[in-house]
Each structure stands twice: as structure tokens, then as C-alpha cells.
Coordinates of all heavy atoms in Angstrom, one line a residue:
M29 N 15.1 24.9 -1.0 CA 14.8 24.0 -2.0 C 13.7 23.0 -1.5 O 13.8 22.5 -0.4 CB 16.0 23.2 -2.5 CG 15.7 22.3 -3.6 SD 17.3 21.7 -4.3 CE 17.2 20.0 -3.7
T30 N 12.6 22.8 -2.3 CA 11.6 21.9 -1.9 C 11.9 20.5 -2.3 O 12.6 20.2 -3.3 CB 10.2 22.3 -2.5 OG1 10.4 22.2 -3.9 CG2 9.8 23.7 -2.1
Q31 N 11.4 19.6 -1.5 CA 11.7 18.2 -1.7 C 10.7 17.7 -2.8 O 9.5 18.0 -2.8 CB 11.4 17.3 -0.5 CG 11.8 15.9 -0.6 CD 11.6 15.1 0.7 OE1 11.2 15.7 1.7 NE2 12.0 13.9 0.7
R32 N 11.2 16.9 -3.7 CA 10.4 16.3 -4.8 C 10.2 14.8 -4.5 O 11.1 14.1 -4.0 CB 11.2 16.5 -6.1 CG 11.5 17.9 -6.5 CD 10.8 18.6 -7.5 NE 10.3 17.7 -8.6 CZ 9.1 18.0 -9.1 NH1 8.3 19.0 -8.7 NH2 8.6 17.2 -10.1
F33 N 9.0 14.3 -4.9 CA 8.7 12.9 -4.7 C 8.6 12.3 -6.1 O 7.9 12.8 -7.0 CB 7.4 12.8 -3.9 CG 7.4 13.5 -2.6 CD1 6.6 14.5 -2.4 CD2 8.3 13.1 -1.6 CE1 6.6 15.2 -1.2 CE2 8.3 13.8 -0.4 CZ 7.4 14.8 -0.2
A34 N 9.2 11.1 -6.2 CA 9.1 10.4 -7.5 C 8.5 9.1 -7.4 O 8.5 8.5 -6.3 CB 10.5 10.3 -8.1
G35 N 7.8 8.6 -8.4 CA 7.3 7.3 -8.4 C 6.1 7.2 -9.3 O 5.6 8.3 -9.8
P36 N 5.6 6.0 -9.5 CA 4.4 5.9 -10.3 C 3.1 6.4 -9.6 O 3.1 6.4 -8.3 CB 4.3 4.4 -10.6 CG 5.0 3.8 -9.5 CD 6.1 4.8 -9.1
A37 N 2.1 6.8 -10.3 CA 0.9 7.3 -9.6 C -0.3 7.0 -10.5 O -0.1 6.9 -11.7 CB 1.0 8.8 -9.4
Y38 N -1.4 6.9 -9.9 CA -2.7 6.7 -10.7 C -3.0 8.0 -11.4 O -2.7 9.1 -10.8 CB -3.8 6.3 -9.8 CG -3.7 5.0 -9.1 CD1 -3.7 4.8 -7.7 CD2 -3.4 3.8 -9.9 CE1 -3.6 3.6 -7.1 CE2 -3.3 2.6 -9.3 CZ -3.4 2.5 -7.9 OH -3.2 1.3 -7.3
P39 N -3.6 8.1 -12.5 CA -4.0 6.9 -13.2 C -2.9 6.4 -14.1 O -2.1 7.1 -14.6 CB -5.2 7.5 -14.1 CG -4.8 8.9 -14.3 CD -4.1 9.3 -13.0
F40 N -2.9 5.1 -14.2 CA -1.9 4.5 -15.2 C -2.6 4.6 -16.5 O -3.6 4.0 -16.8 CB -1.7 3.0 -14.8 CG -0.9 2.8 -13.5 CD1 -1.3 1.8 -12.6 CD2 0.1 3.6 -13.2 CE1 -0.7 1.6 -11.4 CE2 0.8 3.4 -12.0 CZ 0.4 2.4 -11.1
G41 N -1.9 5.2 -17.4 CA -2.5 5.4 -18.7 C -1.4 5.7 -19.7 O -0.3 6.0 -19.4
P42 N -1.7 5.5 -21.0 CA -0.7 5.7 -22.0 C -0.4 7.2 -22.1 O -1.2 8.0 -22.2 CB -1.4 5.2 -23.3 CG -2.8 5.2 -23.0 CD -3.0 5.0 -21.6
T43 N 0.9 7.5 -22.0 CA 1.4 8.8 -22.2 C 2.6 8.8 -23.1 O 3.1 7.7 -23.4 CB 1.9 9.4 -20.8 OG1 3.0 8.7 -20.3 CG2 0.8 9.4 -19.8
P44 N 3.0 9.9 -23.6 CA 4.2 9.8 -24.5 C 5.4 9.2 -23.8 O 6.3 8.6 -24.5 CB 4.4 11.3 -24.9 CG 3.1 12.0 -24.7 CD 2.4 11.2 -23.6
A45 N 5.5 9.4 -22.5 CA 6.7 8.8 -21.8 C 6.5 7.4 -21.3 O 7.4 6.8 -20.7 CB 7.0 9.7 -20.6
G46 N 5.3 6.9 -21.5 CA 5.0 5.5 -21.1 C 4.0 5.4 -20.0 O 3.6 6.4 -19.4
V47 N 3.5 4.2 -19.7 CA 2.5 4.0 -18.7 C 2.9 4.4 -17.3 O 2.2 5.0 -16.6 CB 2.0 2.5 -18.7 CG1 1.0 2.2 -17.6 CG2 1.4 2.2 -20.1
L48 N 4.1 4.1 -17.0 CA 4.6 4.4 -15.6 C 5.5 5.7 -15.6 O 6.5 5.8 -14.9 CB 5.4 3.3 -15.1 CG 4.6 2.0 -14.9 CD1 5.6 0.9 -14.4 CD2 3.5 2.2 -13.9
S49 N 5.1 6.7 -16.4 CA 5.9 7.9 -16.5 C 5.8 8.6 -15.1 O 4.8 8.5 -14.4 CB 5.3 8.8 -17.6 OG 4.0 9.2 -17.3
P50 N 6.7 9.4 -14.8 CA 6.7 10.2 -13.5 C 5.5 11.1 -13.5 O 5.1 11.7 -14.5 CB 8.0 11.0 -13.5 CG 8.9 10.3 -14.5 CD 8.0 9.7 -15.5
K51 N 4.9 11.2 -12.3 CA 3.8 12.1 -12.1 C 4.1 13.2 -11.2 O 5.2 13.3 -10.6 CB 2.6 11.3 -11.5 CG 2.2 10.1 -12.3 CD 1.6 10.4 -13.6 CE 0.9 9.3 -14.3 NZ 1.5 8.6 -15.3
S52 N 3.2 14.1 -10.9 CA 3.5 15.2 -10.0 C 3.6 14.8 -8.6 O 3.2 13.7 -8.2 CB 2.3 16.3 -10.1 OG 1.2 15.7 -9.5
D53 N 4.2 15.6 -7.8 CA 4.4 15.3 -6.4 C 3.0 14.9 -5.7 O 2.9 14.0 -4.9 CB 5.0 16.4 -5.6 CG 6.5 16.6 -6.1 OD1 7.0 15.8 -6.8 OD2 7.0 17.7 -5.7
A54 N 2.0 15.8 -5.9 CA 0.7 15.5 -5.3 C 0.1 14.2 -5.7 O -0.4 13.5 -4.9 CB -0.2 16.7 -5.7
N55 N 0.3 13.8 -7.0 CA -0.3 12.6 -7.5 C 0.4 11.4 -6.8 O -0.2 10.4 -6.5 CB -0.2 12.5 -9.0 CG -1.3 13.2 -9.7 OD1 -2.3 13.6 -9.0 ND2 -1.2 13.5 -10.9
V56 N 1.7 11.5 -6.6 CA 2.5 10.4 -6.0 C 2.0 10.2 -4.5 O 1.7 9.1 -4.1 CB 4.0 10.7 -6.0 CG1 4.7 9.7 -5.2 CG2 4.5 10.7 -7.4
V57 N 1.8 11.3 -3.8 CA 1.3 11.2 -2.4 C -0.1 10.7 -2.3 O -0.5 9.9 -1.5 CB 1.5 12.6 -1.7 CG1 0.9 12.5 -0.3 CG2 3.0 12.9 -1.6
L58 N -1.0 11.2 -3.2 CA -2.4 10.8 -3.3 C -2.5 9.3 -3.6 O -3.3 8.6 -3.0 CB -3.2 11.6 -4.3 CG -3.5 13.0 -3.8 CD1 -4.2 13.8 -5.0 CD2 -4.4 13.0 -2.6
T59 N -1.6 8.8 -4.5 CA -1.6 7.4 -4.8 C -1.2 6.5 -3.6 O -1.8 5.5 -3.3 CB -0.7 7.1 -6.0 OG1 -1.2 7.8 -7.1 CG2 -0.6 5.6 -6.3
S60 N -0.2 7.0 -2.9 CA 0.2 6.4 -1.6 C -0.9 6.3 -0.6 O -1.1 5.2 0.0 CB 1.4 7.1 -1.0 OG 1.8 6.5 0.2
I61 N -1.6 7.4 -0.4 CA -2.7 7.4 0.5 C -3.8 6.4 0.0 O -4.4 5.7 0.9 CB -3.3 8.9 0.6 CG1 -2.3 9.7 1.4 CG2 -4.6 8.9 1.4 CD1 -2.6 11.2 1.4
L62 N -4.1 6.4 -1.2 CA -5.1 5.5 -1.8 C -4.7 4.1 -1.5 O -5.6 3.2 -1.1 CB -5.3 5.8 -3.3 CG -6.3 4.9 -4.0 CD1 -7.7 5.1 -3.4 CD2 -6.3 5.1 -5.5
N63 N -3.5 3.8 -1.7 CA -3.0 2.4 -1.4 C -3.1 2.0 0.0 O -3.5 0.9 0.4 CB -1.5 2.2 -1.9 CG -1.4 2.2 -3.4 OD1 -2.4 1.8 -4.1 ND2 -0.3 2.6 -3.9
I64 N -2.8 3.0 0.9 CA -2.9 2.7 2.4 C -4.3 2.4 2.7 O -4.6 1.5 3.5 CB -2.3 3.9 3.2 CG1 -0.8 4.0 3.0 CG2 -2.7 3.8 4.6 CD1 -0.2 5.3 3.5
L65 N -5.2 3.3 2.3 CA -6.6 3.2 2.7 C -7.4 2.0 2.1 O -8.4 1.5 2.7 CB -7.4 4.5 2.4 CG -6.9 5.7 3.1 CD1 -7.7 6.9 2.8 CD2 -6.9 5.5 4.7
T66 N -6.9 1.5 1.0 CA -7.6 0.4 0.3 C -7.0 -1.0 0.6 O -7.5 -2.0 0.2 CB -7.8 0.6 -1.2 OG1 -6.5 0.7 -1.7 CG2 -8.6 1.8 -1.5
T67 N -5.8 -1.0 1.3 CA -5.2 -2.3 1.6 C -5.6 -2.7 3.0 O -5.5 -2.0 3.9 CB -3.6 -2.1 1.6 OG1 -3.2 -1.6 0.4 CG2 -2.9 -3.3 2.0
P68 N -6.2 -3.9 3.1 CA -6.6 -4.4 4.4 C -5.4 -4.6 5.3 O -4.4 -5.1 4.9 CB -7.2 -5.8 4.1 CG -7.6 -5.7 2.6 CD -6.5 -4.9 2.0
K69 N -5.5 -4.1 6.5 CA -4.5 -4.2 7.5 C -4.1 -5.6 7.8 O -5.0 -6.5 8.0 CB -4.9 -3.5 8.8 CG -3.7 -3.3 9.7 CD -4.1 -2.3 10.8 CE -2.9 -1.5 11.2 NZ -2.9 -0.2 10.8
G70 N -2.9 -6.0 7.7 CA -2.4 -7.3 8.0 C -2.4 -8.2 6.8 O -2.1 -9.4 6.9
S71 N -2.7 -7.7 5.6 CA -2.7 -8.5 4.4 C -1.4 -8.6 3.6 O -1.3 -9.4 2.7 CB -3.8 -8.0 3.5 OG -3.5 -6.7 2.9
V72 N -0.5 -7.7 4.0 CA 0.8 -7.7 3.3 C 1.8 -8.5 4.1 O 2.1 -8.2 5.3 CB 1.3 -6.2 3.1 CG1 2.7 -6.2 2.4 CG2 0.3 -5.4 2.4
P73 N 2.4 -9.5 3.5 CA 3.4 -10.4 4.2 C 4.5 -9.5 4.7 O 5.1 -8.7 4.0 CB 3.8 -11.4 3.2 CG 2.7 -11.4 2.1 CD 2.2 -10.0 2.1
Y74 N 4.9 -9.8 5.9 CA 6.1 -9.1 6.6 C 5.8 -7.6 6.9 O 6.8 -6.9 7.2 CB 7.4 -9.3 5.8 CG 7.7 -10.8 5.5 CD1 7.5 -11.3 4.2 CD2 8.0 -11.6 6.5 CE1 7.8 -12.6 4.0 CE2 8.3 -13.0 6.3 CZ 8.2 -13.5 5.0 OH 8.4 -14.8 4.8
A75 N 4.6 -7.2 6.7 CA 4.3 -5.8 7.0 C 2.9 -5.7 7.6 O 2.0 -5.2 7.0 CB 4.4 -4.9 5.7
P76 N 2.8 -6.2 8.8 CA 1.4 -6.4 9.4 C 0.8 -5.0 9.7 O -0.5 -5.0 9.9 CB 1.7 -7.2 10.7 CG 3.1 -6.9 11.0 CD 3.8 -6.7 9.7
L77 N 1.5 -3.9 9.8 CA 0.9 -2.7 10.1 C 0.6 -1.8 8.9 O 0.0 -0.8 9.0 CB 1.9 -1.9 11.0 CG 2.3 -2.5 12.4 CD1 3.2 -1.6 13.1 CD2 1.0 -2.8 13.2
L78 N 0.9 -2.3 7.7 CA 0.6 -1.6 6.5 C -0.9 -1.8 6.2 O -1.4 -2.8 6.3 CB 1.4 -2.1 5.3 CG 1.2 -1.4 4.0 CD1 1.8 0.0 4.1 CD2 1.9 -2.2 2.9
G79 N -1.5 -0.7 5.7 CA -2.9 -0.7 5.4 C -3.8 -0.1 6.4 O -3.4 0.6 7.3
S80 N -5.1 -0.3 6.3 CA -6.1 0.2 7.2 C -7.2 -0.8 7.4 O -7.4 -1.8 6.8 CB -6.7 1.5 6.6 OG -7.6 1.3 5.6
M81 N -8.1 -0.4 8.4 CA -9.3 -1.2 8.7 C -10.5 -0.8 7.9 O -11.5 -1.5 8.0 CB -9.6 -1.0 10.2 CG -8.5 -1.5 11.1 SD -8.2 -3.3 11.0 CE -9.7 -4.0 11.5
I82 N -10.3 0.2 7.0 CA -11.5 0.6 6.2 C -12.0 -0.5 5.3 O -13.3 -0.6 5.2 CB -11.1 1.9 5.4 CG1 -10.9 3.0 6.4 CG2 -12.1 2.2 4.3 CD1 -10.4 4.3 5.7
P83 N -11.2 -1.3 4.6 CA -11.8 -2.4 3.8 C -12.7 -3.4 4.6 O -13.6 -3.9 4.1 CB -10.6 -3.1 3.2 CG -9.5 -2.1 3.2 CD -9.8 -1.2 4.4
S84 N -12.5 -3.5 5.9 CA -13.3 -4.4 6.7 C -14.7 -3.8 6.9 O -15.6 -4.5 7.4 CB -12.6 -4.7 8.1 OG -12.6 -3.5 8.9
L85 N -14.9 -2.6 6.6 CA -16.2 -1.9 6.8 C -17.0 -1.9 5.5 O -18.1 -1.3 5.5 CB -16.0 -0.5 7.3 CG -15.2 -0.3 8.6 CD1 -14.9 1.2 8.8 CD2 -16.0 -0.9 9.7
L86 N -16.6 -2.6 4.5 CA -17.2 -2.5 3.2 C -18.7 -2.8 3.2 O -19.5 -2.2 2.6 CB -16.4 -3.4 2.2 CG -16.9 -3.4 0.8 CD1 -16.8 -2.0 0.2 CD2 -16.2 -4.4 -0.1
F87 N -19.1 -3.9 3.9 CA -20.5 -4.3 3.8 C -21.2 -3.9 5.1 O -22.3 -4.5 5.4 CB -20.6 -5.8 3.6 CG -20.1 -6.1 2.2 CD1 -18.9 -6.8 2.0 CD2 -20.8 -5.8 1.1 CE1 -18.4 -7.1 0.8 CE2 -20.3 -6.1 -0.2 CZ -19.1 -6.7 -0.4
E88 N -20.7 -3.0 5.9 CA -21.4 -2.5 7.1 C -22.5 -1.6 6.7 O -22.5 -1.0 5.6 CB -20.4 -1.8 8.0 CG -19.4 -2.8 8.6 CD -19.9 -3.9 9.5 OE1 -20.9 -3.6 10.2 OE2 -19.4 -5.0 9.4
V89 N -23.4 -1.4 7.6 CA -24.5 -0.4 7.4 C -24.0 1.0 7.3 O -23.1 1.4 8.0 CB -25.5 -0.5 8.6 CG1 -26.6 0.5 8.5 CG2 -26.1 -1.9 8.8
N90 N -24.5 1.7 6.3 CA -24.1 3.1 6.1 C -24.8 4.0 7.1 O -25.8 4.7 6.8 CB -24.4 3.5 4.6 CG -23.9 4.8 4.3 OD1 -23.2 5.5 5.1 ND2 -24.1 5.3 3.0
D91 N -24.2 4.1 8.3 CA -24.8 4.9 9.3 C -23.7 5.8 9.9 O -22.6 5.8 9.5 CB -25.5 4.1 10.4 CG -24.5 3.1 11.1 OD1 -23.3 3.2 10.8 OD2 -25.0 2.4 12.0
D92 N -24.1 6.6 10.9 CA -23.2 7.6 11.6 C -22.0 6.9 12.2 O -20.9 7.4 12.2 CB -23.9 8.4 12.6 CG -24.9 9.4 12.0 OD1 -24.7 9.7 10.8 OD2 -25.9 9.8 12.7
V93 N -22.2 5.7 12.8 CA -21.1 5.0 13.5 C -20.1 4.5 12.4 O -18.9 4.7 12.6 CB -21.7 3.8 14.3 CG1 -20.6 2.9 14.8 CG2 -22.6 4.2 15.4
T94 N -20.5 4.0 11.3 CA -19.6 3.5 10.3 C -18.8 4.7 9.7 O -17.6 4.6 9.5 CB -20.4 2.7 9.2 OG1 -21.1 1.7 9.8 CG2 -19.4 2.2 8.2
R95 N -19.5 5.8 9.4 CA -18.8 6.9 8.9 C -17.8 7.5 9.9 O -16.7 7.9 9.5 CB -19.8 8.0 8.4 CG -20.6 7.6 7.2 CD -21.4 8.7 6.6 NE -22.4 9.2 7.5 CZ -23.6 8.7 7.7 NH1 -23.9 7.6 7.0 NH2 -24.5 9.2 8.5
S96 N -18.1 7.4 11.2 CA -17.2 7.9 12.2 C -16.0 7.0 12.3 O -14.9 7.5 12.4 CB -17.9 7.9 13.5 OG -17.0 8.3 14.6
L97 N -16.2 5.7 12.1 CA -15.0 4.8 12.1 C -14.2 5.0 10.9 O -12.9 5.0 11.0 CB -15.5 3.3 12.1 CG -16.0 2.8 13.4 CD1 -16.7 1.4 13.2 CD2 -14.9 2.7 14.4
I98 N -14.8 5.2 9.7 CA -14.0 5.5 8.5 C -13.2 6.8 8.7 O -12.0 6.8 8.3 CB -14.9 5.6 7.3 CG1 -15.6 4.3 6.9 CG2 -14.2 6.2 6.1 CD1 -16.7 4.3 5.9
R99 N -13.8 7.8 9.2 CA -13.1 9.1 9.5 C -11.9 8.8 10.4 O -10.8 9.3 10.2 CB -14.1 10.1 10.1 CG -13.6 11.5 10.2 CD -14.6 12.4 10.7 NE -15.9 12.4 9.9 CZ -17.0 11.9 10.4 NH1 -17.1 11.4 11.6 NH2 -18.1 11.9 9.6
H100 N -12.1 8.1 11.5 CA -11.1 7.8 12.5 C -9.9 7.0 11.8 O -8.8 7.3 12.0 CB -11.7 7.1 13.7 CG -10.7 6.5 14.6 ND1 -9.9 7.3 15.5 CD2 -10.2 5.3 14.8 CE1 -9.1 6.6 16.1 NE2 -9.2 5.3 15.8
Y101 N -10.3 5.9 11.2 CA -9.3 5.0 10.6 C -8.5 5.8 9.5 O -7.2 5.6 9.4 CB -9.9 3.8 9.9 CG -10.4 2.8 10.9 CD1 -11.5 2.0 10.6 CD2 -9.9 2.6 12.2 CE1 -12.1 1.1 11.5 CE2 -10.4 1.7 13.1 CZ -11.5 0.9 12.7 OH -12.0 0.0 13.6
A102 N -9.1 6.6 8.7 CA -8.4 7.3 7.6 C -7.4 8.3 8.2 O -6.2 8.3 7.8 CB -9.4 8.1 6.7
A103 N -7.8 9.1 9.2 CA -6.9 10.1 9.8 C -5.8 9.4 10.5 O -4.6 9.8 10.4 CB -7.7 11.0 10.8
Q104 N -6.1 8.3 11.2 CA -5.0 7.6 12.0 C -4.0 7.0 11.1 O -2.8 7.1 11.3 CB -5.7 6.5 12.8 CG -4.8 5.7 13.6 CD -5.5 4.6 14.4 OE1 -6.7 4.7 14.7 NE2 -4.9 3.5 14.7
E105 N -4.4 6.3 10.0 CA -3.5 5.6 9.2 C -2.7 6.5 8.3 O -1.5 6.2 8.0 CB -4.3 4.5 8.4 CG -5.0 3.4 9.2 CD -4.1 2.7 10.2 OE1 -2.8 2.7 10.0 OE2 -4.6 2.1 11.1
I106 N -3.3 7.5 7.8 CA -2.6 8.5 6.9 C -1.5 9.1 7.8 O -0.3 9.3 7.4 CB -3.5 9.5 6.3 CG1 -4.4 8.9 5.3 CG2 -2.7 10.6 5.6 CD1 -5.5 9.8 4.8
A107 N -1.8 9.6 9.0 CA -0.8 10.2 9.9 C 0.3 9.3 10.2 O 1.4 9.7 10.3 CB -1.5 10.7 11.1
A108 N 0.0 8.0 10.4 CA 1.0 7.0 10.8 C 1.8 6.5 9.7 O 3.0 6.2 9.9 CB 0.3 5.8 11.5
Q109 N 1.3 6.4 8.5 CA 2.0 5.7 7.4 C 2.4 6.6 6.3 O 3.2 6.1 5.4 CB 1.1 4.6 6.8 CG 0.7 3.5 7.9 CD -0.2 2.5 7.3 OE1 0.1 2.0 6.2 NE2 -1.2 2.1 8.0
E110 N 2.0 7.8 6.2 CA 2.4 8.7 5.1 C 2.9 10.0 5.6 O 2.2 11.0 5.8 CB 1.2 8.9 4.2 CG 1.5 9.8 3.0 CD 2.7 9.3 2.2 OE1 2.6 8.3 1.5 OE2 3.8 9.9 2.4
P111 N 4.3 10.0 5.9 CA 4.9 11.2 6.5 C 4.8 12.5 5.6 O 5.0 13.6 6.0 CB 6.3 10.8 6.8 CG 6.6 9.7 5.8 CD 5.3 9.0 5.6
R112 N 4.6 12.3 4.3 CA 4.6 13.4 3.3 C 3.2 14.1 3.4 O 3.1 15.2 2.8 CB 4.9 12.9 1.9 CG 6.2 12.2 1.8 CD 6.4 11.6 0.4 NE 5.5 10.4 0.3 CZ 5.5 9.6 -0.8 NH1 6.3 9.8 -1.8 NH2 4.6 8.6 -0.8
A113 N 2.3 13.6 4.0 CA 0.9 14.2 4.1 C 0.7 14.8 5.5 O 1.1 14.2 6.5 CB -0.1 13.1 3.7
V114 N -0.1 15.8 5.5 CA -0.5 16.4 6.7 C -2.1 16.3 6.8 O -2.7 16.9 5.9 CB -0.1 17.9 6.9 CG1 -0.7 18.5 8.1 CG2 1.4 18.0 6.9
V115 N -2.6 15.6 7.7 CA -4.1 15.5 7.8 C -4.7 16.7 8.5 O -4.4 16.9 9.7 CB -4.5 14.2 8.6 CG1 -6.0 14.0 8.6 CG2 -3.8 13.0 7.9
K116 N -5.4 17.5 7.8 CA -6.1 18.6 8.4 C -7.5 18.3 8.7 O -8.2 19.0 9.5 CB -6.0 19.8 7.4 CG -4.7 20.4 7.2 CD -4.7 21.6 6.3 CE -3.3 22.1 6.2 NZ -3.3 23.3 5.3
G117 N -8.1 17.3 8.1 CA -9.4 16.9 8.4 C -9.8 15.8 7.4 O -9.2 15.6 6.4
V118 N -10.9 15.0 7.8 CA -11.4 14.0 7.0 C -12.9 14.2 6.9 O -13.6 14.3 7.9 CB -11.1 12.6 7.6 CG1 -11.7 11.5 6.7 CG2 -9.6 12.4 7.7
Y119 N -13.4 14.2 5.6 CA -14.8 14.4 5.4 C -15.3 13.1 4.8 O -14.8 12.6 3.8 CB -15.0 15.5 4.4 CG -16.5 15.7 4.1 CD1 -17.4 16.3 5.0 CD2 -17.0 15.4 2.8 CE1 -18.7 16.4 4.7 CE2 -18.3 15.6 2.5 CZ -19.2 16.1 3.4 OH -20.5 16.2 3.1
V120 N -16.4 12.5 5.4 CA -17.0 11.3 4.9 C -18.4 11.7 4.5 O -19.2 12.1 5.4 CB -17.0 10.2 5.9 CG1 -17.6 8.9 5.4 CG2 -15.5 9.9 6.4
E121 N -18.8 11.4 3.3 CA -20.1 11.8 2.8 C -21.0 10.6 2.6 O -20.6 9.5 2.1 CB -20.0 12.5 1.4 CG -21.2 13.0 0.8 CD -21.0 13.7 -0.5 OE1 -19.9 14.1 -0.8 OE2 -22.0 13.7 -1.3
K122 N -22.2 10.7 3.1 CA -23.2 9.6 2.9 C -23.8 9.7 1.5 O -24.2 10.7 1.0 CB -24.3 9.7 3.9 CG -25.3 8.6 3.8 CD -26.4 8.7 4.9 CE -27.4 7.6 4.8 NZ -28.4 7.6 5.8
T123 N -23.8 8.5 0.8 CA -24.5 8.4 -0.5 C -25.5 7.3 -0.4 O -25.4 6.4 0.4 CB -23.4 8.2 -1.6 OG1 -22.8 6.9 -1.4 CG2 -22.4 9.3 -1.7
D124 N -26.4 7.2 -1.4 CA -27.4 6.2 -1.4 C -26.9 5.0 -2.3 O -27.6 4.0 -2.4 CB -28.7 6.7 -2.0 CG -29.3 7.7 -1.1 OD1 -29.1 7.6 0.2 OD2 -30.0 8.7 -1.6
D125 N -25.8 5.1 -2.9 CA -25.3 4.0 -3.8 C -24.8 2.8 -2.9 O -24.1 2.9 -2.0 CB -24.2 4.5 -4.7 CG -24.7 5.5 -5.6 OD1 -25.9 5.6 -5.8 OD2 -23.8 6.2 -6.2

């Protein structure tokens, strides 16, 4: 029997079952990863290890070093904080935006 994951997941939107209706297992895990990567490390009271350092790189120069740091932080924090996910690789794409 496979394990099922329950909880709210993005996108929050009106559905027949309501805004916080149960989502698929993959959406629940992806939402958890999104929350980990967008939460600044040390910003949650009583949970100093929750989050990542990626938000601190927001206004850094878009170069190879910054992309390498993002790749490193993403792989490290997902592996440490989300046991339901297996990190096989992280791809960081450069954009002009």
C-alpha cells in the first residue's frame, strides 16, 4: 500500500469542495517544497532551521556564482526538510527578467 499525503496545496482556488479542498499527493509535496524554498531561514519563531537561504539572494547579480548557490541551497534544504521528496537534481535557468 502506498502512503498518501493530505493537506492544502497551491493553487488555492474555488472548487466544488472549497478553497482548501484536498489536493493530490504531488501537489502537497510541491507546496511544501515551495514553502521551504521561499521562507527565509531563521524567520519562523521557534524553528530557526526552517526555510532556506535562497530569499537572501533575491537582489544579487544573476551570474554563475549566484545560480550555483541557488542550486546548492535548494538541494540541501529539500533533502534536509522534506523527507517525502527525493532530490535527483536541481536545474537553475538564467533569464533576463
Side-chain angles (χ1 to χ4, degrees):
M29 185 167 105
T30 61
Q31 185 176 3
R32 305 252 331 141
F33 306 115
Y38 294 124
F40 294 137
T43 64
V47 174
L48 297 178
S49 64
K51 303 293 194 258
S52 70
D53 294 346
N55 282 344
V56 172
V57 175
L58 286 174
T59 297
S60 177
I61 291 171
L62 180 64
N63 288 336
I64 290 168
L65 296 181
T66 59
T67 300
K69 192 165 213 112
S71 67
V72 179
Y74 306 108
L77 300 179
L78 182 69
S80 75
M81 297 298 294
I82 292 175
S84 69
L85 301 173
L86 183 60
F87 295 107
E88 295 296 324
V89 177
N90 187 1
D91 61 3
D92 291 336
V93 174
T94 304
R95 288 191 300 280
S96 179
L97 284 171
I98 292 170
R99 190 176 306 111
H100 170 73
Y101 291 147
Q104 176 183 335
E105 300 304 342
I106 293 169
Q109 298 180 47
E110 183 49 79
R112 301 172 291 186
V114 175
V115 179
K116 293 184 177 181
V118 177
Y119 177 74
V120 179
E121 183 177 339
K122 181 178 181 176
T123 64
D124 294 330
D125 295 345

